Amino acid sequence: MAAYMITSTLRRVLLVAKHASFQSRCCVASSRVQYSTVYDSNEKTFDKILIANRGEIACRVMKTCKKMGIKTVAVHSDVDASAVHVKMADEAVCVGPAPTNKSYLNMDAIMDAIRKTGSQAVHPGYGFLSENKEFAKRLAAEDVVFIGPDTHAIHAMGDKIESKLLAKAANVNVIPGFDGVVENVEDAVKIAGDIGYPVMIKASAGGGGKGMRIAWNDDETREGFRLSSQEAASSFGDDRLLIEKFVDNPRHIEIQVLADKHGNALWLNERECSIQRRNQKVVEEAPSTFLDPETRRAMGEQAVQLAKAVHYSSAGTVEFLVDSNKNFYFLEMNTRLQVEHPITECITGLDLVQQMIRVAKGFPLLHKQEDIPINGWAIESRVYAEDPYKSFGLPSIGRLSQYQEPINLPKVRVDSGIQEGSDISIYYDPMISKLVTYGATRAEALQRMEAALDNYVIRGVTHNIPLLREIITHPRFISGDITTNFLPEEYPEGFKGHQLTSEGRRELVATAAALYVSAQLRSQRFLGNLRVSTTPQEQRQWELCVELEKGSHTVAVSRSGSTFTVEVDGVTVEVSGEWNLASALLPVTINRTPRVLQCLSRDAGGDITLQYLGTQFKVRVLSQLVSTLSAHMPEKVPEDTSSILRSPMPGSVVAVSVKPGDVVAEGQEICVIEAMKMQNSLIAAKAAKVKSVHCKAGETVGEGDLLVQLE
């Protein structure tokens, strides 16, 4: 029996092999320029690096370290003990319990892990301690190299107030606003009035969209100050805020910079990051459709000016807001590796993690500005465990019961730190992966992204693939006519999923009918033979009723081999495929058009859930007799949601603003829920009296939990 056992060492080796193919297939040289990363085995950097992070970014850093022959150390919380990044590393150290302030932000525990493992350097990834100057100081005090900029640059650019003053001094365009710290709520209202609405309230030490609010009047300024200061304190331990003019209808375009310790600095082109929700990026691309060569160069040169002004050395990102006239304004500088760095790697051929490690060791940059190409087009979709139907994405938790990345497709890259069986928990960011596609042209990259999203299998948690697919196929996005207001402008009533056309409806009905018949035929056979030997021959024609979105369709189905001809509303639809009912994917050809659907569930009663064009649709397929009888079944009365307030997401209760007997107005705040360090104010749907309160500050609640009941 021992011969069939897989040891823990072998399991780790197998997992590393699975995740070792980092050299992205999307980083392809064009016929005109050949440019790609070279890993020089003779160039000595570090023997061992500790990655002070988790998830996909920890895995991403480890892949490059292995290419460079560097051993890696993972740190993890107790709930992450079996995480992918832990298994990928050569060594792993537990640094505390699940809450981030007790583990991944626990500097004492991480410093102990560094000493215990003899790590020579630390890569912080992004988030957590990546822009914490105190952590960098503590590393320097123990002669451990921080793979990032020095503490002066972290402090200067990490403080939005100071960074704005430095940007002005470096002749970088800045947004008009108040350059000091906002002291209190009334001070915020006065400053906002002086600047002129709309204004942006944001955390001085913040990033990643946390601690940011747009205010259009005094009341919104008061609420924004309160919520932003609370988020800032929770996320960064610093509740200082600044206020500046909000540029209406802007694009968010950032410049990747790379600098060494010898005074050399490069700009590695731009990334378009305008598709956002709650100031957090959803879809990014490189290059931008909007920039001309002159504007690109001007933005790149100003980004380099700023980097040199603070003696920056590492990879960093200078973010700009760009208006419709191509005027651009400094927003902030992130002194770390960005989430969206893979798309820059695709169009330049550079491995940014390798560059950061080389610079940290003291090597000069190998390239000049004229060496940096734009080869092709890359697009990144952030795949989250989120419900896109709630505010474009409120966090979801659960276990990945089935997980299959579309890495079998050409020029597709998936940066992830999870696997089938992984848990998406309340404690950490709900990102599942970064899905990247590359093409010689933007149209090619978009086409590959569409295919990759259709072939991405995620079961067990709610995810945002429906939203991602609708974005990348939206005519306005395809044309490149986007701003940071894209989502609220295109979906003013919220995201509703893919809206079926008449043709799409027929395709879905026909496919559901064909799938139902295939399942019926399979159930009649055993070991290749019909279960009932007296049956003269297999049935080849069926009359069915298909219910979809409160509509009912009578369909006629006929079969010839693996092809079904389905008549829907007088229109003939031909559907063919392998009909492998055990497969997570359902590739079919509908009227000669290839499609990839997913059958998420089906039961003996004819209820089928299909993922079609990214969106889940519930379909019921019944025989004519059953359809007639089902009309007599009573329907479930939906719950009156105007009188109750349920938690829209899992999280913790920060504050409860009412008690039984209080009278609330429509739109009045009832409570505040914090999820993934973002605070969400929940309001009353109508004017009413509070009947009962079922939560209190500090409690953890699940999605759908009853919070407050109104009379």
Side-chain angles (χ1 to χ4, degrees):
M1 182 174 179
Y4 295 95
M5 293 178 64
I6 299 178
T7 66
S8 59
T9 302
L10 179 56
R11 185 178 294 109
R12 178 171 292 172
V13 169
L14 292 173
L15 189 67
V16 168
K18 177 183 177 183
H19 290 271
S21 59
F22 164 68
Q23 183 56 36
S24 175
R25 286 171 288 170
C26 54
C27 297
V28 178
S30 70
S31 57
R32 183 174 58 85
V33 180
Q34 180 143 7
Y35 188 86
S36 60
T37 290
V38 175
Y39 300 93
D40 185 355
S41 59
N42 296 318
E43 188 176 74
K44 182 67 174 175
T45 54
F46 303 101
D47 295 323
K48 186 183 291 185
I49 291 176
L50 181 142
I51 295 91
N53 218 297
R54 67 179 298 278
E56 66 86 12
I57 189 58
C59 295
R60 162 69 189 88
V61 174
M62 288 176 192
K63 291 168 185 174
T64 289
C65 287
K66 293 182 188 303
K67 285 181 176 292
M68 298 177 71
I70 302 170
K71 291 185 177 180
T72 57
V73 178
V75 294
H76 65 90
S77 65
D78 52 9
V79 298
D80 272 347
S82 298
V84 173
H85 78 280
V86 174
K87 296 174 182 177
M88 282 186 67
D90 296 292
E91 300 175 60
V93 180
C94 182
V95 290
T100 55
N101 64 327
K102 296 180 180 179
S103 52
Y104 296 104
L105 291 175
N106 186 345
M107 279 190 258
D108 290 338
I110 292 175
M111 293 303 299
D112 286 342
I114 294 167
R115 298 184 198 103
K116 177 181 177 181
T117 59
S119 300
Q120 300 165 320
V122 172
H123 196 299
Y126 55 75
F128 293 137
L129 298 171
S130 63
E131 295 177 284
N132 188 304
K133 62 181 182 296
E134 295 304 321
F135 182 56
K137 284 180 181 178
R138 291 186 64 172
L139 291 175
E142 300 202 18
D143 292 324
V144 177
V145 176
F146 179 75
I147 301 176
D150 62 23
T151 55
H152 165 70
I154 294 173
H155 173 75
M157 291 294 100
D159 187 306
K160 288 184 170 61
I161 296 170
E162 185 173 345
S163 68
K164 189 174 180 180
L165 295 173
L166 286 168
K168 275 185 179 179
N171 294 318
V172 176
N173 304 341
V174 297
I175 301 171
F178 179 68
D179 295 333
V181 178
V182 184
E183 298 294 339
N184 51 50
V185 172
E186 295 310 314
D187 192 26
V189 171
K190 182 181 181 303
I191 292 168
D194 292 342
I195 295 172
Y197 289 108
V199 297
M200 172 70 81
I201 304 168
K202 58 185 181 181
S204 176
K210 295 180 175 66
M212 298 177 69
R213 292 292 189 283
I214 299 167
W216 294 81
N217 53 50
D218 289 354
D219 289 340
E220 290 186 6
T221 298
R222 290 186 177 92
E223 182 183 30
F225 182 90
R226 177 174 63 86
L227 293 174
S228 292
S229 60
Q230 289 173 356
E231 281 183 10
S234 173
S235 299
F236 315 112
D238 183 346
D239 64 357
R240 292 177 304 147
L241 301 177
L242 62 85
I243 298 179
E244 62 190 18
K245 182 70 177 178
F246 175 66
V247 180
D248 204 9
N249 293 318
R251 285 176 178 258
H252 185 141
I253 300 176
E254 60 190 27
I255 300 291
Q256 176 72 57
V257 295
L258 183 64
D260 62 22
K261 301 178 187 295
H262 305 275
N264 303 305
L266 306 172
W267 49 275
L268 308 181
N269 302 310
E270 79 278 7
R271 295 186 289 256
E272 172 76 71
C273 306
S274 297
I275 304 298
Q276 302 180 2
R277 51 97 177 92
R278 300 191 302 279
N279 299 309
Q280 292 182 311
K281 301 159 191 172
V282 180
V283 176
E284 303 102 340
E285 60 181 308
S288 169
T289 60
F290 189 62
L291 297 190
D292 53 56
E294 292 75 22
T295 308
R296 175 178 295 115
R297 186 181 305 108
M299 292 176 70
E301 288 173 352
Q302 286 200 16
V304 167
Q305 285 170 211
L306 181 59
K308 288 185 174 181
V310 294
H311 306 291
Y312 196 86
S313 60
S314 191
T317 298
V318 181
E319 301 190 350
F320 293 95
L321 288 182
V322 185
D323 68 19
S324 58
N325 294 316
K326 293 188 173 68
N327 298 308
F328 56 91
Y329 306 95
F330 170 72
L331 186 61
E332 63 182 3
M333 183 177 188
N334 292 313
T335 57
R336 53 172 168 79
L337 192 65
Q338 288 281 82
V339 174
E340 59 272 18
H341 75 273
I343 54 178
T344 295
E345 294 181 325
C346 283
I347 67 167
T348 64
L350 284 174
D351 180 338
L352 293 181
V353 174
Q354 183 213 27
Q355 297 299 319
M356 293 178 75
I357 294 171
R358 291 188 71 259
V359 168
K361 186 62 178 176
F363 290 107
L365 299 180
L366 295 173
H367 312 291
K368 303 296 182 184
Q369 188 62 56
E370 56 268 22
D371 298 330
I372 306 302
I374 298 180
N375 287 337
W377 214 285
I379 299 172
E380 175 180 285
S381 292
R382 298 192 186 190
V383 182
Y384 281 104
E386 291 183 337
D387 186 344
Y389 302 98
K390 297 177 180 177
S391 301
F392 300 110
L394 292 184
S396 169
I397 60 173
R399 177 166 293 175
L400 291 166
S401 57
Q402 192 170 7
Y403 183 73
Q404 183 177 310
E405 296 174 348
I407 53 177
N408 59 306
L409 301 179
K411 298 181 181 177
V412 171
R413 166 177 167 176
V414 182
D415 282 15
S416 67
I418 47 89
Q419 61 187 355
E420 193 165 288
S422 293
D423 287 313
I424 307 296
S425 78
I426 191 176
Y427 299 106
Y428 311 118
D429 188 273
M431 179 182 284
I432 293 173
S433 74
K434 300 179 309 197
L435 177 62
V436 181
T437 58
Y438 174 85
T441 64
R442 185 170 186 261
E444 191 176 300
L446 282 171
Q447 185 179 26
R448 287 183 172 136
M449 180 60 73
E450 188 177 338
L453 290 168
D454 285 342
N455 283 270
Y456 206 148
V457 178
I458 304 172
R459 311 282 169 80
V461 297
T462 304
H463 55 76
N464 68 333
I465 282 180
L467 176 62
L468 295 173
R469 199 184 189 285
E470 285 300 295
I471 291 171
I472 62 112
T473 58
H474 195 287
R476 182 176 161 190
F477 181 84
I478 293 172
S479 71
D481 177 24
I482 58 174
T483 71
T484 56
N485 296 322
F486 176 86
L487 288 178
E489 286 175 355
E490 293 303 320
Y491 308 101
E493 303 300 320
F495 180 67
K496 306 296 183 183
H498 180 74
Q499 302 302 298
L500 291 171
T501 61
S502 297
E503 182 182 4
R505 190 178 185 86
R506 287 193 296 269
E507 284 190 6
L508 186 55
V509 167
T511 305
L515 181 64
Y516 174 85
V517 171
S518 294
Q520 293 293 309
L521 291 174
R522 190 180 74 165
S523 67
Q524 295 171 8
R525 305 187 73 88
F526 179 73
L527 298 179
N529 299 312
L530 290 173
R531 290 179 181 271
V532 183
S533 58
T534 56
T535 303
Q537 60 181 6
E538 283 188 317
Q539 185 177 351
R540 294 193 175 273
Q541 292 186 333
W542 297 261
E543 294 287 334
L544 302 172
C545 179
V546 181
E547 299 173 4
L548 170 65
E549 293 183 334
K550 297 182 180 179
S552 182
H553 303 264
T554 299
V555 302
V557 183
S558 60
R559 168 178 168 260
S560 175
S562 61
T563 299
F564 293 88
T565 302
V566 186
E567 186 175 317
V568 184
D569 301 332
V571 178
T572 299
V573 181
E574 191 173 272
V575 188
S576 60
E578 294 182 3
W579 307 107
N580 182 354
L581 303 182
S583 173
L585 299 174
L586 185 65
V588 295
T589 300
I590 307 175
N591 288 342
R592 299 184 179 180
T593 300
R595 300 273 191 209
V596 177
L597 286 76
Q598 295 185 33
C599 181
L600 305 181
S601 67
R602 59 184 178 84
D603 61 27
D607 289 318
I608 302 173
T609 303
L610 290 174
Q611 182 173 304
Y612 170 73
L613 303 182
T615 296
Q616 296 182 19
F617 293 93
K618 293 184 181 298
V619 186
R620 173 173 287 182
V621 185
L622 305 171
S623 67
Q624 289 288 8
L625 176 60
V626 173
S627 175
T628 302
L629 296 175
S630 66
H632 302 286
M633 297 294 290
E635 292 187 8
K636 183 179 179 180
V637 179
E639 183 179 46
D640 178 13
T641 56
S642 65
S643 298
I644 58 172
L645 181 67
R646 294 188 181 275
S647 179
M649 78 212 88
S652 59
V653 181
V654 175
V656 180
S657 307
V658 298
K659 61 183 183 299
D662 286 355
V663 176
V664 296
E666 181 180 353
Q668 181 178 332
E669 181 178 281
I670 300 292
C671 63
V672 178
I673 303 293
E674 183 178 283
M676 315 298 181
K677 295 195 176 180
M678 294 291 287
Q679 296 201 356
N680 302 272
S681 177
L682 305 185
I683 61 175
K686 65 179 182 180
K689 188 176 182 179
V690 177
K691 181 178 180 180
S692 57
V693 177
H694 300 268
C695 64
K696 59 184 179 181
E699 284 187 344
T700 298
V701 295
E703 181 180 355
D705 284 0
L706 180 63
L707 304 176
V708 175
Q709 190 170 7
L710 305 176
E711 292 184 354

